[in-house]
């Protein structure tokens, strides 16, 4: 038998199938298996993508060496999907196969030096063990090694290591009947207290065994030495058992299924989706429901319907709204059938959840973007909540969009996809308009509450509280009023840190990152200037580094600064801050939210991570400190992003009995995105924004592809970009529009210069092939220090 293998070498020449002979001993190999194969002088990992009886290859095929896992990690469906997707998004197939697995399963390659004679083995270099060459860097040792190899005294070998570790615990099994233990107990001295305690426990709780060692120790107050002694005497049998790390252990499932009665809009939506689930239709629904209209309830009911049909359900939520609140709801409804996958889990937890899914032990999977590749079988429903979120698009290779992958999987499984949002992406809404998706609308809040009243505060004319220009008097007054009534406040500021740049008033110098074309942000808590792109840090300057003047100012604002201002203006208020800086440690996110939920603080101040999905009944005021941050970005969808963010964050107010209020501070109160967000008028925004996109020849009227060229040398990046542009111009024709090359809006990041070309097209049959050529040529360009990225339907063009 012959195995077709994609090897773990991401390059143009290796982006194809290689054939290997399957030796008799490796009969457990299947499509989807991870294997180790000889490749040139090395051993590499690979994935089996096909198995056949014969080959057209005339030479002698090499043998497969190892099959890594008992159960092939990927299913035939995912193997096939990797091929379709690689072609669509201009990626190497191996890159996609790798990203379908939890990170710990990525192969670890080690290069080792193995001594060949006993004499050499005793050499100080080896001390009896092979030498890890990845750890050798000094020249002297390198010369020694070369000499050994030349004299045939040692050779280099390549190891493929598996980092993924299963978690094991020690359990104790019984070896005798209960009567036998009783007899033994009778013969033990009364002074041997620990042994008697153990035997007593065995006799009394015979049926509770096997038990975990740690459980026995804590229950009986005995130590592991007693257990070891019991094992020696043959009373107990020790066994290492594999267990799953359970990230949901804090969310006990609540058997009392407090099911709500759906309202008529929710029922209509559910009926349409339910019919599709039952009839196994690969159909896409767009569930457009205002914030608080009960979309989650519709998803959960649809998932129930799916399980009733003996099929499984996959639900995606954006990373930042994968809040404990959301996980809790799903867990309460579906108990141990749920597996979660998101970045808050440890690598080990992720690996274990993933294996539960692969083994068919979970029927419902909830996760962030990459969970779209979950090895779930027999899928009957795919839900994508907050479908407009740009985080569903991966910004690095492979640049896939989870929504596109969902549609591919839906075709394979014949199951519906539900895209839900209060502010659908323009492209999804346009598809619904054309009838390619079925539009389902929820127009009322589920709890009969009206939407909160939204006021715009014009920062050009308003007076500010305190000495800074961040918090207006009306906003501060409203906060005071709410706190006096023991209600809570959420404040959004889309910028972390203290001040966003240092300016010299004498010479105009702005302190920038040495690696990136962006100013450094002052972080008061760490006492450093930080780059938010590359992480560069340096001390806070006292004098201008350029002219040595002491007249320097720190301008712009961030969450740290606003927190300090609030503390001065409202000395009695308790404030929690939530941004990347305060949520770095595992579990801190949940801790902040729990503490706010328990009313241990009056104000939750944070970046956009507080805008989504949170449901706190006692929050009656939401304040947006500066609505213009997203608007000022020079991108085709910055109005859409602004509208989405404001609508979402406004939806956090007044979700329970108390009426909510929203205050948006802005320098652009006349801007249509802000005005329509004030009225939470999504349909109005859709109409207006479609006109703007039409006039600008942007999506959804044109398809777009972004080609980015980067290099340490600015001129070579620009030059290469022009070469690519000329190539495109020769083959493509009107109405296709080719923009650029232009430097990206942050022209340098991590010492790499960025140049980009945007192709906008309606119908361009040659483009696909052309882009594949550009991708192939990219490898040669790489040798000249150039990187070329192709981004199909980019979320950001800046
Ligand atoms: P969305 O996701 O659309 O913003 P949620 O699903 O979070 O809205 O629902 C908002 C609130 O309304 C939640 O507290 C939810 O429990 C409640 N809710 C949902 N459906 C109903 C219903 N049919 N009757 C009463 N309350 C409901
Ligand atoms: Zn200066
Ligand atoms: Zn930087």
């Amino acid at each position: 038998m012959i195995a077709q293998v994609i090897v773990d070498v991401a390059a143009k020449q290796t982006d194809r199938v290689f054939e290997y002979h399957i030796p008799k001993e490796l009969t457990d190999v299947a499509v989807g298996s991870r294997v180790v194969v000889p490749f040139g002088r090395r051993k590499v990992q690979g994935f089996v993508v096909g198995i056949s009886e014969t080959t057209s290859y005339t030479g002698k095929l090499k043998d497969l060496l190892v099959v890594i896992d008992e159960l092939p990690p990927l299913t035939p469906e995912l193997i096939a999907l990797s091929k379709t997707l690689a072609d669509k998004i201009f990626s190497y197939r191996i890159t996609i196969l790798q990203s379908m697995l939890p990170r710990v399963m990525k192969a670890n390659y080690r290069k080792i030096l193995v001594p060949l004679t006993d004499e050499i083995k005793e050499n100080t270099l080896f001390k009896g063990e092979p030498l890890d060459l990845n750890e050798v860097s000094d020249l002297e040792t390198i010369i020694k090694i070369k000499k050994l190899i030349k004299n045939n005294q040692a050779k280099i070998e390549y190891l493929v290591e598996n980092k993924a570790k299963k978690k094991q615990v020690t359990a104790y099994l019984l070896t005798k009947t209960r009567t036998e233990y009783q007899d033994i107990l009778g013969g033990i001295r009364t002074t041997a207290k620990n042994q008697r305690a153990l035997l007593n426990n065995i006799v009394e709780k015979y049926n509770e065994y096997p038990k975990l060692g740690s459980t026995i120790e804590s229950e009986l107050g005995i130590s592991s030495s007693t257990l070891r002694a019991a094992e020696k005497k043959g009373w107990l049998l020790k066994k290492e058992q594999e267990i799953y790390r359970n990230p949901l252990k804090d969310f006990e499932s609540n058997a009392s299924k407090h099911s709500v009665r759906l309202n008529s809009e929710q029922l209509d939506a559910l009926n349409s989706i339910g019919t599709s689930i039952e009839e196994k239709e690969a159909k896409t629904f767009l569930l457009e429901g205002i914030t608080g209209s009960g979309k989650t309830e519709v998803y959960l009911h649809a998932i129930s319907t799916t399980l009733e049909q003996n099929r499984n359900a996959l639900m995606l939520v954006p990373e930042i709204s994968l809040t404990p609140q959301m996980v809790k709801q799903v867990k309460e409804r579906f108990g141990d059938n749920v597996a979660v996958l998101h970045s808050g889990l440890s690598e080990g937890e992720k690996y274990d959840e993933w294996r539960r899914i692969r083994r068919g032990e979970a029927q419902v999977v909830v996760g962030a973007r990459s969970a779209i590749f979950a090895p779930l079988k027999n899928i009957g429903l795919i839900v994508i909540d907050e479908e407009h979120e740009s985080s569903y698009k991966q910004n690095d290779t492979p640049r896939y969009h989870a929504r596109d992958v969902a549609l591919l999987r839906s075709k394979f499984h014949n199951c519906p996809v539900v895209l839900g949002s209060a502010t659908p992406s323009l492209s999804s809404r346009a598809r619904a308009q054309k009838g390619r998706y079925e539009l389902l609308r929820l127009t009322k809040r589920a709890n009969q509450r009206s939407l909160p009243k939204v006021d715009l505060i014009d920062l050009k004319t308003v007076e500010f509280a305190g000495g800074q220009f961040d918090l207006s008097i009306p906003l501060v007054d409203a906060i005071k009023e709410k706190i006096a009534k023991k209600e809570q406040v959420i404040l959004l500021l889309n910028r972390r840190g203290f001040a966003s740049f240092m300016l010299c008033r004498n010479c105009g110098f702005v302190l920038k990152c040495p690696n990136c074309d962006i100013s450094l942000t002052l972080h008061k808590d760490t006492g450093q200037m930080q780059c938010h792109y590359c992480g560069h840090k340096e001390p806070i300057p006292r004098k201008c580094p350029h002219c040595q003047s002491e007249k320097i100012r720190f301008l712009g604002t961030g969450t740290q600064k606003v927190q300090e201002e609030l503390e001065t203006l409202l000395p009695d208020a308790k404030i929690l801050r939530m941004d990347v800086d305060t949520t770095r440690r595992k579990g801190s996110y949940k801790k902040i939210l729990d503490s706010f939920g328990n009313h241990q603080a009056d104000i939750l101040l944070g970046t956009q991570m507080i805008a989504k999905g949170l449901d706190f009944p006692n929050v009656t005021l939401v304040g947006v400190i500066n609505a213009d941050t997203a608007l000022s970005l020079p991108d085709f969808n910055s109005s859409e992003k602004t509208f989405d963010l404001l609508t979402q964050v406004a939806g956090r107010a007044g979700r329970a009995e108390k009426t909510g209020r929203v205050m948006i501070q802005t320098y652009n109160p006349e801007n249509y995105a802000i005005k329509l967000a004030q009225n939470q008028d999504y349909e109005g925004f859709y109409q207006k924004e479609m006109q703007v996109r039409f006039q600008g020849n942007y999506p959804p009227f044109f398809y777009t592809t972004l080609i980015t060229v980067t290099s340490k040398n600015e001129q070579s990046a620009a030059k290469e970009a022009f070469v690519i542009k000329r190539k495109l111009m020769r083959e493509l024709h009107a109405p296709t529009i080719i923009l650029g090359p232009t430097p990206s809006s942050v022209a340098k990041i991590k010492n790499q210069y960025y140049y980009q070309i945007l192709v906008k097209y309606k119908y361009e049959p040659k483009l696909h092939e052309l882009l594949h050529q550009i991708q192939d040529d990219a490898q040669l360009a790489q040798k000249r220090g150039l990187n070329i990225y192709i981004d199909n339907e980019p979320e950001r063009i800046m």
Side-chain angles (χ1 to χ4, degrees):
M1 297 286 273
I2 314 294
Q4 277 98 41
V5 175
I6 299 278
V7 293
D8 183 17
V9 182
K12 174 189 154 196
Q13 295 80 1
T14 49
D15 191 30
R16 63 176 180 87
V17 161
F18 289 86
E19 291 188 312
Y20 290 90
H21 172 251
I22 306 175
K24 277 196 291 298
E25 311 78 60
L26 299 183
T27 45
D28 52 341
V29 69
V31 171
S33 288
R34 266 197 312 167
V35 290
V36 178
V37 295
F39 196 75
R41 295 201 310 117
R42 296 183 290 166
K43 288 173 197 163
V44 299
Q45 208 181 74
F47 290 87
V48 175
V49 299
I51 288 180
S52 63
E53 298 274 346
T54 55
T55 171
S56 53
Y57 185 70
T58 46
K60 184 170 159 38
L61 290 179
K62 288 184 186 159
D63 276 358
L64 280 188
L65 299 176
V66 181
V67 178
I68 298 177
D69 320 83
E70 306 111 75
L71 183 66
L74 295 176
T75 57
E77 180 216 348
L78 292 171
I79 292 287
L81 175 65
S82 70
K83 189 172 180 190
T84 319
L85 197 58
D87 180 56
K88 189 178 157 74
I89 63 171
F90 310 99
S91 162
Y92 295 127
R93 196 167 170 196
I94 187 66
T95 315
I96 293 180
L97 289 166
Q98 293 289 18
S99 43
M100 289 176 162
L101 296 182
R103 200 167 334 150
V104 282
M105 289 177 77
K106 251 193 138 168
N108 203 12
Y109 294 101
R110 279 212 308 160
K111 209 165 141 186
I112 56 168
L113 188 71
V114 185
L116 290 176
T117 66
D118 285 346
E119 190 189 334
I120 291 298
K121 212 184 258 178
E122 297 312 315
N123 188 311
T124 48
L125 211 52
F126 295 108
K127 303 186 197 83
E129 301 280 333
L131 176 71
D132 190 339
L133 289 179
N134 297 351
E135 282 173 9
V136 175
S137 55
D138 66 302
L139 193 62
E140 207 178 313
T141 317
I142 292 173
I143 292 171
K144 262 192 215 159
I145 292 170
K146 285 208 165 137
K147 215 162 144 193
L148 287 176
I149 296 172
K150 203 169 154 223
N151 296 341
N152 276 328
Q153 289 169 307
K155 66 167 185 185
I156 290 180
E157 275 195 11
Y158 296 87
L159 292 184
V160 187
E161 277 185 348
N162 204 351
K163 274 182 294 184
K165 295 246 170 15
K166 293 167 189 168
K167 187 169 176 178
Q168 301 229 320
V169 288
T170 311
Y172 286 92
L173 282 63
L174 299 182
T175 54
K176 305 173 191 309
T177 64
R178 192 190 288 239
T179 338
E180 284 173 321
Y181 283 112
Q182 245 152 4
D183 290 347
I184 298 173
L185 180 60
I188 301 279
R189 286 174 290 123
T190 43
T191 48
K193 281 211 182 82
N194 290 342
Q195 295 193 9
R196 291 191 66 92
L198 176 64
L199 286 163
N200 256 320
N201 185 265
I202 295 176
V203 172
E204 278 166 30
K205 308 260 166 81
Y206 191 81
N207 290 331
E208 283 181 15
Y209 282 78
K211 269 195 194 181
L212 294 185
S214 54
T215 314
I216 305 176
E217 285 168 28
S218 66
E219 271 180 16
L220 304 181
I222 60 175
S223 71
S224 57
S225 61
T226 310
L227 288 173
R228 273 201 301 275
E231 190 199 347
K232 262 206 189 121
K233 292 191 165 125
W235 301 347
L236 292 174
L237 185 67
K238 185 167 138 181
K239 194 171 173 231
E240 297 297 327
Q241 237 175 28
E242 179 195 335
I243 58 156
Y244 292 130
R245 284 150 279 214
N246 180 6
L248 294 177
K249 60 182 179 297
D250 296 343
F251 305 105
E252 276 327 309
S253 77
N254 193 343
S256 61
K257 286 184 186 165
H258 50 83
S259 218
V260 288
R261 286 257 298 283
L262 296 186
N263 62 36
S264 64
E265 284 186 334
Q266 286 172 313
L267 276 177
D268 286 347
L270 182 64
N271 277 338
S272 306
I273 299 166
T275 309
S276 251
I277 295 171
E278 282 160 20
E279 304 197 338
K280 300 198 167 142
E281 284 179 303
K283 184 170 173 179
T284 306
F285 295 92
L286 179 60
L287 180 62
E288 178 188 323
I290 61 170
T291 53
S293 59
K295 295 184 288 293
T296 313
E297 209 51 59
V298 174
Y299 306 146
L300 296 179
H301 277 79
I303 292 173
S304 291
T305 309
T306 313
L307 299 185
E308 280 158 23
Q309 300 282 317
N310 286 319
R311 302 191 87 194
N312 302 324
L314 179 55
M315 173 157 152
L316 295 193
V317 291
E319 191 71 60
I320 44 176
S321 71
L322 202 63
T323 57
Q325 289 187 331
M326 167 68 92
V327 174
K328 185 162 170 262
Q329 278 191 59
V330 184
K331 178 74 184 169
E332 283 182 352
R333 207 65 65 89
F334 303 107
D336 292 336
N337 292 332
V338 182
V340 286
L341 291 171
H342 66 95
S343 67
L345 308 184
S346 71
E347 296 294 332
E349 285 171 341
K350 255 187 252 175
Y351 176 53
D352 286 359
E353 287 293 273
W354 183 89
R355 277 187 306 143
R356 281 181 57 217
I357 301 166
R358 179 66 188 96
R359 292 177 177 176
E361 293 166 14
Q363 281 75 54
V364 180
V365 175
V366 184
R369 179 182 59 230
S370 64
I372 195 60
F373 295 123
L376 190 66
K377 286 200 199 165
N378 189 20
I379 299 177
L381 172 70
I382 303 175
V383 174
I384 302 187
D385 186 29
E386 312 278 5
E387 68 90 31
H388 63 279
E389 270 289 310
S390 51
S391 65
Y392 284 126
K393 174 75 185 279
Q394 176 147 305
N395 265 330
D396 284 313
T397 354
R399 292 174 157 77
Y400 67 91
H401 198 300
R403 194 199 299 129
D404 299 333
V405 181
L407 296 182
L408 291 170
R409 295 197 78 176
S410 124
K411 280 209 190 86
F412 179 90
H413 290 278
N414 290 312
C415 73
V417 176
V418 176
L419 307 173
S421 175
T423 55
S425 65
L426 233 59
S427 66
S428 292
R429 182 62 186 79
R431 279 182 196 153
Q433 193 69 33
K434 280 184 164 174
R436 285 180 53 198
Y437 298 166
E438 183 172 328
L439 184 61
L440 306 169
R441 291 185 66 192
L442 306 179
T443 58
K444 295 191 270 293
R445 278 200 150 176
N447 54 14
Q448 309 300 327
R449 293 291 135 197
S450 49
L451 285 167
K453 180 172 173 299
V454 181
D455 295 312
L456 297 183
I457 298 173
D458 187 347
L459 290 175
K460 296 195 297 289
T461 55
V462 79
E463 296 208 25
F464 290 92
Q468 306 290 336
F469 301 100
D470 300 317
L471 298 163
S472 65
I473 289 174
L475 179 59
V476 173
D477 285 348
I479 298 173
K480 280 183 187 156
E481 188 195 315
K482 295 297 182 188
I483 294 179
K485 285 202 269 179
K486 302 257 178 287
E487 295 171 1
Q488 287 171 289
V489 179
I490 286 182
L491 294 177
L492 173 84
L493 175 64
N494 231 349
R495 217 175 252 148
R496 66 194 173 95
F498 190 86
S500 45
F501 58 100
M502 183 229 98
L503 174 82
C504 171
R505 315 252 328 234
N506 188 43
C507 73
F509 176 84
V510 171
L511 185 61
K512 283 190 170 184
C513 174
N515 312 317
C516 311
D517 183 23
I518 198 91
S519 59
L520 293 175
T521 301
L522 172 71
H523 283 247
K524 224 176 182 179
D525 51 357
T526 56
Q528 281 173 316
M529 303 296 294
Q530 294 183 11
C531 172
H532 287 184
Y533 279 77
C534 73
H536 168 85
K537 290 180 185 148
E538 57 185 73
I540 301 170
R542 302 244 167 97
K543 284 188 265 183
C544 170
H546 185 68
C547 74
Q548 312 306 320
S549 157
E550 290 185 3
K551 286 197 332 196
I552 56 173
R553 292 283 177 278
F554 294 92
L555 303 174
T557 195
T559 44
Q560 286 179 15
K561 176 150 163 255
V562 169
Q563 180 176 14
E564 212 175 275
E565 284 177 56
L566 285 166
E567 279 161 358
T568 321
L569 291 167
L570 310 160
D572 297 326
K574 187 132 191 326
I575 302 157
L576 284 170
R577 195 180 94 221
M578 192 151 103
D579 53 29
V580 176
D581 300 311
T582 61
T583 52
R584 238 175 229 126
R585 217 180 300 139
K586 190 175 177 241
S588 50
Y589 186 77
K590 182 168 188 295
K591 217 158 124 195
I592 295 175
L593 291 182
D594 282 350
S595 140
F596 190 64
N598 296 331
H599 206 157
Q600 285 160 4
D602 308 295
I603 301 173
L604 177 64
L605 164 71
T607 53
Q608 88 267 12
M609 59 170 79
I610 62 165
K612 314 281 152 88
L614 302 182
D615 193 0
F616 293 111
N618 197 37
V619 170
T620 53
L621 173 65
V622 167
V624 178
I625 291 169
N626 184 346
D628 309 311
T629 41
L631 211 54
S632 56
L633 299 175
D635 212 342
F636 78 100
N637 57 11
S638 55
S639 294
E640 187 180 354
K641 296 290 161 230
T642 301
F643 178 84
D644 290 353
L645 184 64
L646 296 179
T647 309
Q648 296 287 344
V649 73
R652 301 306 117 215
R655 292 173 73 88
E657 293 76 43
K658 298 168 196 154
T659 330
R661 182 165 186 207
V662 179
M663 300 176 100
I664 298 176
Q665 302 192 137
T666 172
Y667 285 99
N668 300 288
E670 297 305 319
N671 179 281
Y672 67 92
I674 291 178
K675 281 188 96 151
L676 290 162
Q678 179 186 17
N679 300 324
Q680 319 224 354
D681 180 5
Y682 173 77
E683 285 295 319
F685 177 75
Y686 169 70
Q687 302 296 346
K688 170 74 190 162
E689 184 68 5
M690 284 295 271
Q691 285 171 20
V692 173
R693 300 283 181 91
F694 178 75
Q695 274 152 14
N697 299 323
Y698 273 106
F701 295 96
F702 275 75
Y703 298 112
T704 52
T705 297
L706 186 70
I707 303 167
T708 307
V709 183
T710 82
S711 167
K712 279 201 162 49
N713 179 319
E714 182 166 11
Q715 273 185 356
S716 20
K719 229 168 104 188
E720 183 71 17
F722 274 105
V723 171
I724 292 174
K725 168 151 186 178
R726 277 195 292 276
K727 198 177 286 174
L728 292 166
M729 301 253 291
R730 273 200 299 276
E731 303 282 344
L732 308 181
H733 304 285
T736 299
I737 301 163
I738 306 172
L739 295 181
T742 47
S744 303
S745 68
V746 179
K748 184 176 85 166
I749 300 172
K750 296 185 194 174
N751 287 319
Q752 293 274 337
Y753 290 88
Y754 282 67
Y755 272 78
Q756 58 184 37
I757 301 166
L758 182 66
V759 184
K760 304 197 278 187
Y761 63 100
K762 289 194 169 189
Y763 176 71
E764 198 58 85
K766 280 190 189 156
L767 182 62
H768 191 77
E769 182 54 39
L770 201 55
L771 290 171
H772 272 289
Q773 275 172 29
I774 292 172
Q775 184 201 12
D776 288 349
D777 296 344
Q779 205 178 343
L780 284 173
Q782 211 167 23
K783 297 211 174 94
R784 290 178 283 130
L786 290 154
N787 286 303
I788 300 170
Y789 307 108
I790 300 173
D791 192 351
N792 183 39
E793 297 302 323
E795 285 283 325
R796 279 193 243 154
I797 307 175
M798 293 202 322

